[in-house]
Amino acid sequence: GLAVILPAPPGSGKSTLCAMMMLQGWRLLSDEHCMLDPETGQILPCVRPLSLKNYSLAVINRLFPEVNLYQRTEGTHKGTMAYLQPTPVSWTQRHTSATPRLVIFPKFNAKAEGLSGYALSQSSLFMQLALNSFNYSVMGESGFHALYKMSVAAEGFYFEYSDGQLAIDQIEALLNEE
């Protein structure tokens, strides 16, 4: 019932991290966007296939060789792309909302040594959420209050990592701190 939100610019590794988490038993709520109900503060699922590209395809094939990737297309303007179907648990719970618990701003860096990161203050988390929200300004006061409530209820972190499993292990450790 708890959600981990991974906002970041393209190429940060968030889809690869989502795919790895989902294939290790986590429930996928969404890839590419996060829908927050401004009244309840719950994350609303929008389950669909994950779009993976280039290096991510090799990572998933190496770590999960039994997984089928669909509609592999080479030569797109983003390189080689393919889709990963949601797991059965992700699909069957597609109508079940979740409470935001962690907001992780991930950055994959193949040259990084392990994992480094830091906690974000409530105000920094709020600002980063606002910057990563495509309709925050359109929502006006209700958008402000929704992001404020999330920044109070959830913890925020920045992670830079060279190994997705290290990031997943750290996320799980943070969730188990309660």
Side-chain angles (χ1 to χ4, degrees):
L2 299 177
V4 175
I5 302 164
L6 303 170
S12 298
K14 59 190 176 294
S15 291
T16 307
L17 200 53
C18 278
M20 289 175 63
M21 292 170 79
M22 181 184 73
L23 293 170
Q24 291 181 36
W26 290 67
R27 176 171 63 116
L28 176 70
L29 294 168
S30 179
D31 181 40
E32 297 299 329
H33 67 277
C34 175
M35 292 192 335
L36 174 68
D37 183 319
E39 291 184 23
T40 66
Q42 294 284 294
I43 303 301
L44 305 174
C46 184
V47 181
R48 64 185 182 92
L50 285 99
S51 175
L52 303 174
K53 57 189 175 295
N54 303 317
Y55 181 70
S56 180
L57 298 171
V59 169
I60 297 304
N61 281 328
R62 180 176 47 82
L63 295 175
F64 307 94
E66 72 285 358
V67 169
N68 289 321
L69 297 172
Y70 298 93
Q71 295 182 342
R72 184 181 180 97
T73 307
E74 298 185 25
T76 76
H77 71 282
K78 291 186 175 187
T80 301
M81 299 186 69
Y83 293 96
L84 174 62
Q85 293 293 335
T87 57
V89 70
S90 298
W91 185 248
T92 58
Q93 294 187 34
R94 68 189 178 278
H95 301 297
T96 305
S97 62
T99 302
R101 172 64 182 85
L102 296 174
V103 181
I104 309 290
F105 294 88
K107 175 62 178 151
F108 175 77
N109 179 353
K111 297 178 183 178
E113 292 187 25
L115 180 138
S116 62
Y118 54 86
L120 297 172
S121 67
Q122 180 185 344
S123 58
S124 292
L125 176 57
F126 176 88
M127 289 305 298
Q128 287 303 313
L129 288 169
L131 290 171
N132 281 277
S133 175
F134 70 89
N135 65 352
Y136 168 72
S137 59
V138 175
M139 298 282 296
E141 189 175 343
S142 67
F144 174 86
H145 289 295
L147 289 188
Y148 172 76
K149 286 190 286 188
M150 185 193 295
S151 68
V152 170
E155 290 183 88
F157 297 89
Y158 172 83
F159 283 2
E160 184 169 7
Y161 60 95
S162 59
D163 180 341
Q165 190 59 54
L166 290 175
I168 294 169
D169 292 346
Q170 184 62 50
I171 291 168
E172 289 175 347
L174 290 167
L175 286 172
N176 291 325
E177 282 183 358
E178 277 191 48

